[in-house]
Structure formats: C-alpha cells, structure tokens
Amino acid sequence: MKNSLWRAFLATGVFLALLTGCKDDFLNTEPLDSISSEATWADGPLSQAFIFNVYSFLGYGGFEEQGLSSITDEAMFTHAGRNINTFNEGTEDPTNTAWMSATYQWDQMYLAIRQANIAIERLPTATFSDTELRDRLLGEAHFLRAYYYHQLARFYGGVPLIDRPYGLDEDYSVARNTWEETVNFIVADLDRAATLLEGKPVTPGRASTLAAQALKSRILLYAASDLHDGALAGGVFPGYSNIDLVAYSGGDRTARWRAARDAALVVVNAGTGYKMDLTAPVSAEEGRQNYISISMGGGSAVGDAAAEVELIFERTKTPLYTVEDNWPLGGIHHGINNGPNGYNNWAGNTPIQQLVDDYEMMDGSRFDWNNPAHAAAPYENRDPRLGASIMYDGADWKPRPVAVSGIDPMDQIQTGYYDDGNGGTINGVDTRESTVENWNGSRTHYYHRKFIDPNPALPDNQSNAQTIPWPFIRYTEAVLNLVEASIELGDEATAREWLSKIRFRVGMPAVTDTGDALRQRYRNERRVELSYEEHRYHDARRWLIAPETLGRIIQTIDIRATLRPGATPHVPYRYDPSRYTYTYTVVENTENETRTWRNKMYYRPITRDEINRNPLLVQNPLY
C-alpha cells in the first residue's frame, strides 16, 4: 500500500522547482516541458487535461487482448503462457498472482484514485473563470473516483478509502474499510457527481448525470446480492473473522433491494435504450440485425447508428488514436485479437460450448443435446443473439484475404473437418489444422463475433482500425438491474414486462415464468444479453453460483461432415447440408486448462508485497 501510494505520488502531480538565493536569470526560468500545479488550476483547458489523464486509467475498456471473459464460463484464451491458467486452475495466491488487467489492479486503481483526489481537492478553489466547466470537471472527478473504487470493491471487497492526496512524509498504513462503508462512499461520490453534472453537455466517453446514476444502480445491485449478505457469506467463508470486509454483517436486506430497484428505475425512466418500446417480437433476421447494431454502438458503417442511444458510458475509439503499443494490440484492433485464423487473425478469447448451449431456441425453450432435432442442427432456430455474437461452422463472415480466398470463396467460417470424397479429410481453414496460421486457430471451434465490426470493407489487420466503442454501462444493464431487484422484491409483473421488452427487439417471445423459474430465466437472459461485457465474472460470484458454473471443465465442439450417398464434394469446400451430413460432438478440453473452483476465488488476493508494506491490511478470505 505504501509503495503504491508513493508511486502514485511520484507519477501524478507536476513538480515545479523553486530555487531561491540565486540571481542568475536562467535559474529563474520556468521549465518549458512542465506546468506548475498553480498554473494547472488557474486555466480551464489545463484543468480539463488533468481530468482527461484521470480517464486514461480506463485503458481500452474491455478491448484488451486478454479478456475477462476467459476467466469465466464464456470463453477460453487460445494462447498459452499468459498466466490465465493460474487463475482458472485455482492456484493463484498472494505470492503468485495470475494475469490481472490494469483496469482493476490494486496499485493502478490507487494511482487513478490519487489523481482524482488531487482534482477534487483543487477544483473547488480553481481560479479560472468558467464555473460551469469547473463544476463539470469536479463532477467527472467524483464519478471517476467512484468508478475506480467500484472496480476495487468488485474484485477485493471493502478497501482502504483514501479521500485526499497524501504527502511525502505521511503514514501510509491504512486499514481496509468495511464493505458497507465502501459502498456508501461510492454512492456518495456518485450522488455528488450526478448533481454537479446535471445540465452539463453529454459527450460520448465522458461522465454524465445518467452515467453516475447508472453506476449507482450497479453498485447497489451488487450490495443487495447473495455474496454480500453476511449470513450467506459466512457459510461461504467459514471461520473468516472479518466478514464485514466482504459483506453486510446485519441490516435490512429488503431495504437494500429496494434501494437497488429505485436506483435502476431512475435510469430506466431517464434513458430510452434501443427499440425498447416494442410490444411483440420482431422477425429473427431483424432481431439479429438489431443486436448487431447494439453491439456496434453506432461505430460501424453497417449497423444502425441509432443504436448509439443504448450507451450510457463508453470508451470511444477513433482510427486517429495511434498511441496503442504494437504488442499487445487492443482497442481498435479487437478484430485481429479475436477473429479467425483463416483471416490471419489471432483467435484470442474463443467462446466455449457452455455459453453456446445457453442461447435458447426461438420458441424460448432450452437447447438440448438429447433432442435429436437440436443435435442434428445446433445453430438453427436459435436465439438470434447467438449468430450475432458467435462465429460457428458455416456462418457467413467477411471476404477472406486474397491468399485465402481460393480455399474459401464463400466467406464462411470453417471450424470442422470435411469429407473430401476420396477417403480423406479437408481441414476447415479456421481450424488449428488449417494451412493458414494454424497456431492461431481456435481450440473450441468457435470464434468471438460480438464487437468485431462486420463491415466487409474493413479487413481485420494492423493497417485498419475499427471504431466500435466499449460499453462500460449501457441502458439494458439498468433494465436488467430493475428486473433482478423486482424479482427479489416479489414484483414479478414488472420483471416480466421489462424482460419481454429486451427479448422482443431480438425476436424472442415474451416471458411468462413465475417464481424461481422466472429468476433462472432472468439470469440466463442477463448471461446472453451481456455476454463478453465483463458482467459474467461478477454475476456468477454475487449469485453464489460460481462453483457450478465457473468451475466447469471447458467444453468444445467437434464437427464432422460426411458426404451423403451419391453426393460429390464441393471443391473448394463449402457448407451444404443437402450434400453433407454433419455430426456434432461435445468434447471436454482438459489438455489446456483443468478448470476448478475454490471459494477463495470469489475475490482476488491482495499481494503479499502490499500486505508487507501495510501491516494494517487484512487478506481476503481463504488466501
């Protein structure tokens, strides 16, 4: 902790050398490559630049090469050696931490919080004349401090609450605050931000009143959830004497659900969302296009630009943004990171079979491998969000690179193995046995599609940049928050109404469930609607279902095509059920990751180095 705060101190402010006792002019000249602290807070644009730097800790959002999805039951990361397996196999400990993103890493978040604290301390006495800008920047600082604390709370529980910038000679040993105190601090910051940002311009990528209200909805939903109920958490972490660091030790849980519902309702009433006013399902094809447009967030030339209304707080992207490192690529190169190897892409965070199976049939029934009709054509007649989110064998995609187009002139995903008519097998061009970058082939035989720009004029390579925004918070999340709180409060009619609205726009039927069936329908709806948006990691934990979901062995699909009697093969191959018989076999993958679950995995460990520096820190349960 001490070292983190010290690094934060060194990395943030701008230092001005004040030399006295010397009359040489060159010693009295201000440095040309730095700006004094006083000059920063006396100038509106400089103060704004300082706040922009606080935003920078948001990174690429979720568009990193290694996604949070790959430490959930959404995806598997293709490439070995990235220290992801240390987490998924349950071997992480305070001295051997697994891969961790800077967007929630302990020291990085406290560095960001220190910068926000400087702004919160200095802006009220800033001397530039634009008071509207001052209030906006102060509101943004409160929002960002709340956002970074909410990241810490989601991954660690209650954390030390630092509300001012520390100086050089202060004692940096600070105890963790309780879970309740941490939540209250975040909510207070968001209330303050919402007030300060009221009536201010709404700019994509920057905080707004609605963004503050939506983040409040999220943290209050978490606060009401099972993981943070003291009685339930005590059963998960037996013998842990500091349960108040991760849960409420008492209080009225129903009141917490009401607070979550009320916060979500504010957002639902203030926003609009995309096509949330339908009273019946659209067609399957329209539903698929609607969901693609939502995923594009107005950033694609082929999606409906009006879907941008879905975004409440986002990480904007532009092809002019050139500050990205060549390795690893992120942000604007999401397609390269995750697309098929048959397009010279890198197959990063590939969907696993458990996610694919959770997309319902078009009539709202569950997909079932024991149903012969389902098993014979597993990608037909499914929730349209499946085809909009995941690339599977036979799915249409963009034009192939010139060197590959001769193998696949149909521009169809090939992740199976096909009869060549001569007793041999054609390896799909997107398999690991492909002649094209086979080391980058998917191990699950699926590829991630959501958030990759489908514009056929935009190849996914390093000379092109997509401008799809990352959705930190979107309107539908707030609707789902309202649904969950309504279910837990017994208001099933409201829950069914809003769940149905989400489903109508993608072509799925209305919800009619009651009781626990409604709760399970909601949880599955949230899973598929928010897939790859960094929610599943937290949802599975706060619902206490992680042992049954996140700890499952990875399942993949093996696809074989044999020629029908009398049929001749397509040369080159293309997907054709009239000519080939396809068989699909679910296979467990234990070769690359032997996933398991241990209850310590509900939280990330605080590193041993941090605890050694700050003896007041208490480790998370079971580490």
Side-chain angles (χ1 to χ4, degrees), residues 272-290:
T272 56
Y274 180 66
K275 296 190 177 181
M276 279 288 201
D277 57 349
L278 302 176
T279 57
V282 300
S283 68
E285 180 54 32
E286 185 178 351
R288 178 174 174 273
Q289 291 301 322
N290 285 343

Side-chain angles (χ1 to χ4, degrees), residues 142-185:
H142 278 285
F143 173 86
L144 289 167
R145 185 170 71 177
Y147 185 88
Y148 297 131
Y149 268 124
H150 123 281
Q151 285 290 79
L152 287 169
R154 293 203 293 178
F155 286 93
Y156 299 98
V159 296
L161 296 174
I162 312 299
D163 62 357
R164 62 182 180 84
Y166 278 22
L168 280 174
D169 299 320
E170 297 191 55
D171 182 4
Y172 306 132
S173 298
V174 184
R176 292 176 67 175
N177 287 79
T178 66
W179 168 257
E180 181 174 9
E181 289 168 342
T182 302
V183 170
N184 291 345
F185 186 91

Side-chain angles (χ1 to χ4, degrees), residues 544-555:
L544 297 181
I545 64 170
E548 297 80 35
T549 56
L550 304 189
R552 292 179 287 180
I553 296 296
I554 293 170
Q555 290 183 341

Side-chain angles (χ1 to χ4, degrees), residues 2 14 27 41 67 69 94 109 125 274 295 303 337 356 359 498 500 535 541 578:
K2 181 176 180 179
V14 183
L27 290 178
W41 306 112
S69 57
M109 291 299 91
T125 58
Y274 180 66
S295 301
N337 288 337
V356 177
Y359 288 85
W498 283 101
S500 297
H535 290 279
R541 286 167 168 77
S578 70

